[in-house]
Amino acid sequence: MPQAVTVTRRWTGGSDTSAWARSFDAVEVEDHVFETEVTDSPVETGCSISDHAYDRPDKLTITAAVGVLPPPGKELDQYALEGPNRAAAAYAWLQRMRRAHEPFAVQTGLDFFPSMVITALRVKKDSKYENILYFTVDLKQVIWVTTQVVLFPAKPKTKRAVAAKKDDGEKSGSDPDDAIKVKVKKSFLKMALDYVQKGGASE
Amino acid sequence: MITLPLTSDPYRTFTTVLGEVRYRITTRWNERASVWTADFIDAETDVPLARSIPIVLGADLLKSFCPKIGRLFAIDMAAELEHGTEAGVDDLGNRIKVVWLAPDEVPE
């Protein structure tokens, strides 16, 4: 088995009432990926222009191992797995964690990552690793966002909305009085004047 | 020349004779656009002739829609021609009168 870089890394999670923590017998590799995406917009001539940048979720790739039996001569911390077959227990636990899709915290030698989920679990089995669980796990940061709910006041009903269609049946128009006739005549004359001023273009 | 029997009921229909033709006229208050509109339907054949004609001042309302019905003018009874105010929700049939003229009629 390759020499481990550490045995003290921990994964922690759960709520206050069901908090848990785990560590593994040996951690061989911790790969950290921090990426920032620069958005590009192609332009018709010249090159793409960049108008924004945002951080992608952090990614971890951890290669670690858990033996069937505790490592000889090594005192396990309180977070190590226990049981008659610790490798099998570790495998079952990792699978549960992967399928739970619940974020948990990971402490590596570099930094603390408070919200990670398992995106891939690779387990290698050959003659060399027969009695240990030698696995590589990919983790990805879950970025939490919240949305705000704003309640708008109910739109007041309009006069039209509350009114049913009114059918007044047969109605007769009335002869306009003199005041109306004068105004109609003025409107008519104004339209005629506008028509003349526009050279009849609108007719 | 006939003054149409309009009221400010926000959604109203009635049938009336203009010239020799019976029309079913429906008036509606359009809240979003704040404008009254009118539909003209041939009452005998039920054929829509013009729909959602905005009832506004200073224009022959039917000219662009269906001139053969005649001419239609909205008149602000409370102001002179150049200073009229468009019909509000309570103004149709009150401050704002709508007058129909036959297609070949010229006001005296």
Side-chain angles (χ1 to χ4, degrees), chain A residues 19-80:
Chain A
W20 55 264
R22 285 286 178 271
S23 66
F24 305 106
D25 293 353
V27 177
E28 183 187 16
V29 177
E30 290 172 338
D31 245 352
H32 305 77
V33 180
F34 309 102
E35 291 179 317
T36 297
E37 181 75 22
V38 177
T39 57
D40 296 324
S41 301
V43 291
E44 212 163 303
T45 58
C47 60
S48 296
I49 57 172
S50 301
D51 56 356
H52 186 48
Y54 63 93
D55 293 338
R56 287 195 171 281
D58 298 339
K59 290 179 184 173
L60 297 176
T61 300
I62 295 173
T63 301
V66 177
V68 171
L69 299 173
K74 191 159 195 59
E75 188 176 339
L76 295 177
D77 67 17
Q78 58 179 313
Y79 307 114

Side-chain angles (χ1 to χ4, degrees), chain A residues 169-188:
Chain A
E170 198 79 28
K171 288 280 179 183
S172 296
S174 56
D175 287 334
D177 57 27
D178 289 344
I180 294 177
K181 283 182 178 175
V182 168
K183 285 177 179 287
V184 170
K185 188 173 182 178
K186 283 183 178 177
S187 288
F188 198 85

